[in-house]
Amino acid sequence: MSDATETSGPMLAADGRPLKASLNRALRRQKLRALMLIAPLLIFILVAFIAPIADMLFRSVENGIVEETLPRTVEAMDEWDADAEPVPGEEVYFALFRDMFVASEKKIHTRLGSRLNYETTGISSIFRQSGREVEDIAEIYEDQFDDLNENWTEEIFWAELMGDPDWFAEASATEDGPGPDFVLKEGMEDRLPLTTEAYLAFAEFTQTEDEDNPASENVWPLVHAMLYHDLTGDAAIDGYTGFGSEELQAAKEAVAEFEAVNYKQAFLDIDEDWGSADVMQTIKVYSPTYTPGYFLTAVDLQLNPEGVEAQPDDQAIYLKLFWRTVWMSLTITVATILLGYPVAFLLANLPMRVSSLLMILVLLPFWTSLLVRTSAWKVLLQQQGVINDVLVWSGLINEAGRLVMINNQLGTIIAMTHILLPFMILPLYSVMATIPPSFVRAAKSLGATNVTAFRRVYFPQSVPGIGAGSILVFILAIGYYITPALVGGTTGIFISNRIAYHISSSLNWGLAAALGTILLAAVLILYWAYDRIVGIDNVKLG
């Protein structure tokens, strides 16, 4: 007899396909349907949770503003040895002049000044002042070219000199708007490299930012300054016979008599701090695209040209705030356990009618604005408030001994304990409600006292509720900033208040992101430690 499996082949489905292939196809369809069902939730998590965290992590190390605003200066500083020469030479200031002119026209130099001011106080004002006066340096060359030939101040002359003939014909015929995109004349970049670079920046800015036509707008004085340096350098115009060749040849012969600018001295005339080693080295240290500077500042360190150093004592505040935040959050968590456990126990063991009425009282704070509740505590806790008045009236304290319970850590702990107490009671109650009363009765019937029955039988079963409430309260507490800002004063604020300050007031988003990242890491570490000690699987909400 022959083996039937050799002739029968694979099992087939009803549609004639192999059964295995049909089964795999059905499983793929099932997985696809399941993915489509969870896709909205997945997209929401990515957009509302993962993306903001990723952006925060990126902002905590991103530092591209220096290189983007001062590209030539950063490149020139690569050759500068700060140890051998505390202040850079003329070539760095020449690059700084070109970058600062373009940045001031785009009005982005103040943003860079604000960024560097986080590291060295006073740089912001230096950049603002230099942005206003750097054009005067370039106008020294513009005036001299104007005296040589009026064509050098005519926008149409510059457009025909630098632009492609086809572009110029179309641009000169355009009456309104930016006109066609600027096209450089062939070979001009080799003849006048610095001038070409400056004119391209002018044309791009004119068309994109001002939405005007380069052929009808006055050329930047920077272009004249760069033309001077091309003509006194290696400008290859001897064989050029196109438009403007006569003017270029005449200018090349005349520039030897022009007044030249010492850029280093020009910047020192604007502000003597441009000769400060601290200012120039700060620019060099923070020129890379990515920097650890924000994280170092967040742990009371600073990045200097010499390396990493500790912050001065009067500026070392962040580690203190971190420890204060963790300590006060733990204190608030313990306080909510001590206050919430008896309430939850009472709710779980009273008759349903009574417990439901009391549960409404527990939920009542959720129906009241957080700002109203916090403001109410300000009224209660202040030295002339209700609590102090009652204590004075009862004779427990005298008028001169009124308690200070507001604008300090005590005020923050009291107000936040009240606000977060329901978040502890609800998980506790939901777990306690599932504990059968017969367990405690059985323990008592075997001879256990009330205390022993509670300690050995009831309490261990309520630990999952304590764990769930503790995690919930602690995570909420560590990120609170409204209540500490209103009742904490200077000693009762959290690190979250400092993060909010850097986001909304100082606009130091990089430092705020670094502080937020460290806070997130601390919470994850504490969560991991809790899982190792208690076990996250034992946490239940009932």
Side-chain angles (χ1 to χ4, degrees), residues 85 109 120 151 166 213 215 230 391 426 467 486 492:
E85 188 181 10
H109 62 293
T120 300
N151 284 338
D166 294 336
N213 191 343
D230 277 331
L391 293 175
L426 293 177
L486 293 176

Side-chain angles (χ1 to χ4, degrees), residues 17-290:
R17 296 184 180 183
L19 183 60
K20 185 176 180 180
S22 298
L23 180 60
N24 289 336
R25 183 181 182 187
L27 289 176
R28 283 196 301 270
R29 288 180 176 178
Q30 186 177 4
K31 291 179 181 179
L32 182 60
R33 285 195 297 268
L35 179 61
M36 293 178 64
L37 288 174
I38 66 170
L41 177 60
L42 181 62
I43 294 173
F44 175 79
I45 292 175
L46 289 174
V47 173
F49 185 70
I50 302 299
I53 291 178
D55 182 67
M56 179 181 68
L57 293 172
F58 175 73
R59 285 182 179 273
S60 65
V61 296
E62 189 271 334
N63 191 54
I65 185 173
V66 180
E67 188 176 18
E68 293 170 2
T69 309
L70 304 177
R72 303 168 190 85
T73 307
V74 170
E75 183 178 356
M77 280 187 168
D78 287 340
E79 306 297 328
W80 169 43
D81 185 0
D83 295 331
E85 188 181 10
V87 180
E90 177 70 7
E91 65 280 357
V92 172
Y93 287 92
F94 175 54
L96 179 63
F97 160 71
R98 297 155 65 191
D99 289 332
M100 185 65 72
F101 189 100
V102 176
S104 65
E105 290 291 336
K106 295 181 178 179
K107 295 181 173 52
I108 59 175
H109 62 293
T110 54
R111 291 169 45 207
L112 176 58
S114 298
R115 165 66 187 96
L116 296 176
N117 199 72
Y118 300 145
E119 315 303 334
T120 300
T121 304
I123 290 187
S124 179
S125 61
I126 299 175
F127 271 80
R128 282 197 304 270
Q129 184 176 358
S130 301
R132 292 191 297 265
E133 300 185 23
V134 71
E135 187 172 354
D136 296 339
I137 301 175
E139 287 178 351
I140 295 175
Y141 294 108
E142 182 185 35
D143 294 340
Q144 294 179 92
F145 275 103
D146 184 23
D147 294 338
L148 180 64
N149 191 318
E150 292 182 354
N151 284 338
W152 291 117
T153 60
E154 297 294 333
E155 56 273 8
I156 196 71
F157 173 80
W158 275 104
E160 189 170 0
L161 174 67
M162 303 299 296
D164 181 80
D166 294 336
W167 170 84
F168 176 74
E170 188 175 352
S172 58
T174 302
E175 296 182 358
D176 297 320
D181 292 341
F182 177 75
V183 179
L184 184 68
K185 182 182 293 184
E186 184 178 357
M188 191 58 69
E189 188 172 7
D190 296 329
R191 301 185 192 100
L192 303 171
L194 296 177
T195 309
T196 297
E197 183 182 35
Y199 192 85
L200 284 172
F202 156 75
E204 180 185 6
F205 176 82
T206 302
Q207 291 190 308
T208 58
E209 301 293 333
D210 290 344
E211 297 184 353
D212 289 324
N213 191 343
S216 60
E217 289 296 311
N218 292 329
V219 176
W220 287 347
L222 175 67
V223 181
H224 297 86
M226 294 303 101
L227 177 61
Y228 167 83
H229 287 284
D230 277 331
L231 296 177
T232 55
D234 299 326
I237 62 171
D238 291 337
Y240 176 63
T241 58
F243 178 83
S245 57
E246 296 180 2
E247 286 83 355
L248 286 172
Q249 289 293 342
K252 184 175 183 180
E253 296 173 1
V255 292
E257 304 298 327
F258 278 17
E259 175 190 355
V261 174
N262 183 300
Y263 293 102
K264 182 175 182 178
Q265 186 59 48
F267 275 98
L268 291 176
D269 292 340
I270 294 175
D271 195 308
E272 61 182 8
D273 285 337
W274 280 117
S276 169
D278 290 341
V279 172
M280 301 307 293
Q281 289 178 358
T282 298
I283 297 176
K284 181 178 176 63
V285 168
Y286 287 92
S287 60
T289 305
Y290 302 99

Side-chain angles (χ1 to χ4, degrees), residues 336-353:
T336 56
I337 293 174
L338 296 177
L339 294 175
Y341 196 96
V343 175
F345 179 82
L346 188 65
L347 291 173
N349 290 277
L350 285 174
M352 182 60 67
R353 178 181 300 177

Side-chain angles (χ1 to χ4, degrees), residues 228-404:
Y228 167 83
H229 287 284
D230 277 331
L231 296 177
T232 55
D234 299 326
I237 62 171
D238 291 337
Y240 176 63
T241 58
F243 178 83
S245 57
E246 296 180 2
E247 286 83 355
L248 286 172
Q249 289 293 342
K252 184 175 183 180
E253 296 173 1
V255 292
E257 304 298 327
F258 278 17
E259 175 190 355
V261 174
N262 183 300
Y263 293 102
K264 182 175 182 178
Q265 186 59 48
F267 275 98
L268 291 176
D269 292 340
I270 294 175
D271 195 308
E272 61 182 8
D273 285 337
W274 280 117
S276 169
D278 290 341
V279 172
M280 301 307 293
Q281 289 178 358
T282 298
I283 297 176
K284 181 178 176 63
V285 168
Y286 287 92
S287 60
T289 305
Y290 302 99
T291 177
Y294 292 123
F295 278 103
L296 293 174
T297 303
V299 293
D300 294 332
L301 299 174
Q302 57 183 349
L303 182 62
N304 291 329
E306 295 79 14
V308 178
E309 297 180 358
Q311 290 276 12
D313 291 340
D314 59 340
Q315 299 180 23
I317 61 173
Y318 294 112
L319 286 180
K320 295 178 183 178
L321 280 175
F322 274 117
W323 287 120
R324 179 194 298 171
T325 300
V326 173
W327 174 79
M328 291 182 66
S329 297
L330 289 174
T331 303
I332 292 166
T333 302
V334 172
T336 56
I337 293 174
L338 296 177
L339 294 175
Y341 196 96
V343 175
F345 179 82
L346 188 65
L347 291 173
N349 290 277
L350 285 174
M352 182 60 67
R353 178 181 300 177
V354 179
S355 65
S356 299
L357 180 61
L358 294 179
M359 181 60 72
I360 294 176
L361 299 180
V362 172
L363 298 175
L364 188 61
F366 288 119
W367 305 335
T368 307
S369 169
L370 174 63
L371 187 61
V372 172
R373 283 181 281 165
T374 305
S375 301
W377 277 112
K378 288 181 67 71
V379 175
L380 291 171
L381 296 175
Q382 61 185 327
Q383 284 189 287
Q384 303 300 323
V386 176
I387 295 177
N388 270 298
D389 286 345
V390 172
L391 293 175
V392 171
W393 173 79
S394 63
L396 295 176
I397 60 174
N398 56 31
E399 188 69 31
R402 286 177 174 265
L403 303 178
V404 180

